[in-house]
PDB file of all heavy atoms in Angstrom:
ATOM      1  N   THR A  23      27.134 -19.585 -62.162  1.00 65.00           N
ATOM      2  CA  THR A  23      26.270 -20.530 -61.473  1.00 65.00           C
ATOM      3  C   THR A  23      26.260 -20.242 -59.987  1.00 65.00           C
ATOM      4  O   THR A  23      27.015 -19.493 -59.415  1.00 65.00           O
ATOM      5  CB  THR A  23      26.781 -21.964 -61.773  1.00 65.00           C
ATOM      6  OG1 THR A  23      27.957 -22.204 -61.117  1.00 65.00           O
ATOM      7  CG2 THR A  23      26.764 -22.290 -63.215  1.00 65.00           C
ATOM      8  N   THR A  24      25.370 -20.984 -59.257  1.00 69.00           N
ATOM      9  CA  THR A  24      25.371 -20.867 -57.808  1.00 69.00           C
ATOM     10  C   THR A  24      26.612 -21.340 -57.138  1.00 69.00           C
ATOM     11  O   THR A  24      26.946 -20.950 -56.041  1.00 69.00           O
ATOM     12  CB  THR A  24      24.138 -21.615 -57.234  1.00 69.00           C
ATOM     13  OG1 THR A  24      24.169 -22.959 -57.664  1.00 69.00           O
ATOM     14  CG2 THR A  24      22.767 -20.996 -57.693  1.00 69.00           C
ATOM     15  N   ALA A  25      27.329 -22.190 -57.817  1.00 72.00           N
ATOM     16  CA  ALA A  25      28.629 -22.766 -57.313  1.00 72.00           C
ATOM     17  C   ALA A  25      29.740 -21.780 -57.548  1.00 72.00           C
ATOM     18  O   ALA A  25      30.866 -22.007 -57.103  1.00 72.00           O
ATOM     19  CB  ALA A  25      28.914 -24.076 -57.889  1.00 72.00           C
ATOM     20  N   GLY A  26      29.542 -20.744 -58.337  1.00 68.00           N
ATOM     21  CA  GLY A  26      30.524 -19.726 -58.625  1.00 68.00           C
ATOM     22  C   GLY A  26      31.282 -19.953 -59.940  1.00 68.00           C
ATOM     23  O   GLY A  26      32.273 -19.259 -60.231  1.00 68.00           O
ATOM     24  N   ILE A  27      30.800 -20.893 -60.753  1.00 69.00           N
ATOM     25  CA  ILE A  27      31.505 -21.125 -62.042  1.00 69.00           C
ATOM     26  C   ILE A  27      31.022 -20.077 -63.008  1.00 69.00           C
ATOM     27  O   ILE A  27      29.840 -19.817 -63.237  1.00 69.00           O
ATOM     28  CB  ILE A  27      31.153 -22.513 -62.583  1.00 69.00           C
ATOM     29  CG1 ILE A  27      31.648 -23.604 -61.615  1.00 69.00           C
ATOM     30  CG2 ILE A  27      31.771 -22.775 -63.915  1.00 69.00           C
ATOM     31  CD1 ILE A  27      31.143 -25.011 -61.915  1.00 69.00           C
ATOM     32  N   LEU A  28      31.928 -19.393 -63.671  1.00 68.00           N
ATOM     33  CA  LEU A  28      31.614 -18.387 -64.641  1.00 68.00           C
ATOM     34  C   LEU A  28      31.118 -19.018 -65.972  1.00 68.00           C
ATOM     35  O   LEU A  28      31.746 -20.017 -66.413  1.00 68.00           O
ATOM     36  CB  LEU A  28      32.851 -17.512 -64.955  1.00 68.00           C
ATOM     37  CG  LEU A  28      33.348 -16.541 -63.767  1.00 68.00           C
ATOM     38  CD1 LEU A  28      34.623 -15.864 -64.181  1.00 68.00           C
ATOM     39  CD2 LEU A  28      32.246 -15.563 -63.439  1.00 68.00           C
ATOM     40  N   LEU A  29      30.030 -18.543 -66.500  1.00 64.00           N
ATOM     41  CA  LEU A  29      29.440 -19.092 -67.760  1.00 64.00           C
ATOM     42  C   LEU A  29      29.924 -18.178 -68.901  1.00 64.00           C
ATOM     43  O   LEU A  29      29.870 -16.960 -68.832  1.00 64.00           O
ATOM     44  CB  LEU A  29      27.925 -19.069 -67.600  1.00 64.00           C
ATOM     45  CG  LEU A  29      27.371 -19.963 -66.537  1.00 64.00           C
ATOM     46  CD1 LEU A  29      25.872 -19.697 -66.473  1.00 64.00           C
ATOM     47  CD2 LEU A  29      27.602 -21.384 -66.868  1.00 64.00           C
ATOM     48  N   PRO A  30      30.183 -18.784 -70.065  1.00 66.00           N
ATOM     49  CA  PRO A  30      30.512 -17.997 -71.235  1.00 66.00           C
ATOM     50  C   PRO A  30      29.248 -17.334 -71.729  1.00 66.00           C
ATOM     51  O   PRO A  30      28.139 -17.779 -71.476  1.00 66.00           O
ATOM     52  CB  PRO A  30      31.044 -19.002 -72.206  1.00 66.00           C
ATOM     53  CG  PRO A  30      30.571 -20.334 -71.775  1.00 66.00           C
ATOM     54  CD  PRO A  30      30.384 -20.217 -70.298  1.00 66.00           C
ATOM     55  N   GLU A  31      29.411 -16.224 -72.356  1.00 61.00           N
ATOM     56  CA  GLU A  31      28.256 -15.407 -72.898  1.00 61.00           C
ATOM     57  C   GLU A  31      27.360 -16.216 -73.854  1.00 61.00           C
ATOM     58  O   GLU A  31      26.134 -16.088 -73.826  1.00 61.00           O
ATOM     59  CB  GLU A  31      28.742 -14.115 -73.559  1.00 61.00           C
ATOM     60  CG  GLU A  31      29.240 -13.084 -72.672  1.00 61.00           C
ATOM     61  CD  GLU A  31      29.578 -11.810 -73.376  1.00 61.00           C
ATOM     62  OE1 GLU A  31      29.009 -11.525 -74.418  1.00 61.00           O
ATOM     63  OE2 GLU A  31      30.478 -11.139 -72.927  1.00 61.00           O
ATOM     64  N   LYS A  32      27.950 -17.018 -74.691  1.00 58.00           N
ATOM     65  CA  LYS A  32      27.144 -17.749 -75.736  1.00 58.00           C
ATOM     66  C   LYS A  32      26.311 -18.885 -75.112  1.00 58.00           C
ATOM     67  O   LYS A  32      25.320 -19.255 -75.799  1.00 58.00           O
ATOM     68  CB  LYS A  32      28.120 -18.351 -76.790  1.00 58.00           C
ATOM     69  CG  LYS A  32      28.809 -17.359 -77.603  1.00 58.00           C
ATOM     70  CD  LYS A  32      27.873 -16.751 -78.616  1.00 58.00           C
ATOM     71  CE  LYS A  32      28.615 -15.783 -79.495  1.00 58.00           C
ATOM     72  NZ  LYS A  32      27.703 -15.000 -80.343  1.00 58.00           N
ATOM     73  N   SER A  33      26.606 -19.362 -73.923  1.00 49.00           N
ATOM     74  CA  SER A  33      25.912 -20.519 -73.329  1.00 49.00           C
ATOM     75  C   SER A  33      24.507 -20.085 -72.954  1.00 49.00           C
ATOM     76  O   SER A  33      23.617 -21.004 -72.887  1.00 49.00           O
ATOM     77  CB  SER A  33      26.641 -21.059 -72.214  1.00 49.00           C
ATOM     78  OG  SER A  33      26.686 -20.223 -71.171  1.00 49.00           O
ATOM     79  N   SER A  34      24.289 -18.914 -72.654  1.00 50.00           N
ATOM     80  CA  SER A  34      22.992 -18.489 -72.100  1.00 50.00           C
ATOM     81  C   SER A  34      22.431 -17.343 -72.882  1.00 50.00           C
ATOM     82  O   SER A  34      22.026 -16.312 -72.332  1.00 50.00           O
ATOM     83  CB  SER A  34      23.052 -18.137 -70.605  1.00 50.00           C
ATOM     84  OG  SER A  34      24.011 -17.114 -70.446  1.00 50.00           O
ATOM     85  N   GLN A  35      22.357 -17.504 -74.150  1.00 55.00           N
ATOM     86  CA  GLN A  35      21.988 -16.309 -75.002  1.00 55.00           C
ATOM     87  C   GLN A  35      20.543 -16.497 -75.537  1.00 55.00           C
ATOM     88  O   GLN A  35      20.223 -16.377 -76.697  1.00 55.00           O
ATOM     89  CB  GLN A  35      22.929 -16.249 -76.171  1.00 55.00           C
ATOM     90  CG  GLN A  35      22.795 -14.930 -76.912  1.00 55.00           C
ATOM     91  CD  GLN A  35      23.822 -14.792 -78.008  1.00 55.00           C
ATOM     92  OE1 GLN A  35      24.558 -15.746 -78.288  1.00 55.00           O
ATOM     93  NE2 GLN A  35      23.922 -13.650 -78.652  1.00 55.00           N
ATOM     94  N   LEU A  36      19.586 -16.749 -74.614  1.00 69.00           N
ATOM     95  CA  LEU A  36      18.186 -16.755 -75.063  1.00 69.00           C
ATOM     96  C   LEU A  36      17.678 -15.323 -74.906  1.00 69.00           C
ATOM     97  O   LEU A  36      17.762 -14.717 -73.876  1.00 69.00           O
ATOM     98  CB  LEU A  36      17.380 -17.694 -74.101  1.00 69.00           C
ATOM     99  CG  LEU A  36      15.869 -17.803 -74.412  1.00 69.00           C
ATOM    100  CD1 LEU A  36      15.705 -18.420 -75.848  1.00 69.00           C
ATOM    101  CD2 LEU A  36      15.190 -18.677 -73.399  1.00 69.00           C
ATOM    102  N   ASN A  37      17.244 -14.763 -76.009  1.00 86.00           N
ATOM    103  CA  ASN A  37      16.825 -13.365 -76.041  1.00 86.00           C
ATOM    104  C   ASN A  37      15.453 -13.266 -75.665  1.00 86.00           C
ATOM    105  O   ASN A  37      14.457 -13.414 -76.419  1.00 86.00           O
ATOM    106  CB  ASN A  37      17.047 -12.889 -77.500  1.00 86.00           C
ATOM    107  CG  ASN A  37      17.267 -11.311 -77.497  1.00 86.00           C
ATOM    108  OD1 ASN A  37      17.452 -10.730 -76.477  1.00 86.00           O
ATOM    109  ND2 ASN A  37      17.146 -10.778 -78.669  1.00 86.00           N
ATOM    110  N   SER A  38      15.180 -12.962 -74.365  1.00 89.00           N
ATOM    111  CA  SER A  38      13.799 -12.953 -73.789  1.00 89.00           C
ATOM    112  C   SER A  38      13.711 -11.699 -72.915  1.00 89.00           C
ATOM    113  O   SER A  38      14.669 -11.028 -72.561  1.00 89.00           O
ATOM    114  CB  SER A  38      13.530 -14.208 -72.974  1.00 89.00           C
ATOM    115  OG  SER A  38      14.484 -14.306 -71.839  1.00 89.00           O
ATOM    116  N   GLY A  39      12.438 -11.358 -72.621  1.00 92.00           N
ATOM    117  CA  GLY A  39      12.152 -10.241 -71.776  1.00 92.00           C
ATOM    118  C   GLY A  39      10.779 -10.317 -71.117  1.00 92.00           C
ATOM    119  O   GLY A  39       9.995 -11.187 -71.496  1.00 92.00           O
ATOM    120  N   LYS A  40      10.542  -9.434 -70.181  1.00 94.00           N
ATOM    121  CA  LYS A  40       9.267  -9.425 -69.518  1.00 94.00           C
ATOM    122  C   LYS A  40       8.489  -8.201 -69.971  1.00 94.00           C
ATOM    123  O   LYS A  40       9.035  -7.092 -69.991  1.00 94.00           O
ATOM    124  CB  LYS A  40       9.530  -9.323 -67.982  1.00 94.00           C
ATOM    125  CG  LYS A  40       8.287  -9.355 -67.082  1.00 94.00           C
ATOM    126  CD  LYS A  40       8.520  -9.351 -65.700  1.00 94.00           C
ATOM    127  CE  LYS A  40       7.246  -9.382 -64.902  1.00 94.00           C
ATOM    128  NZ  LYS A  40       7.499  -9.302 -63.522  1.00 94.00           N
TER     129      LYS A  40
END
Side-chain angles (χ1 to χ4, degrees):
T23 64
T24 54
I27 300 171
L28 293 174
L29 299 171
E31 286 184 28
K32 292 287 183 186
S33 69
S34 57
Q35 194 177 7
L36 183 62
N37 205 13
S38 61
K40 184 177 178 184

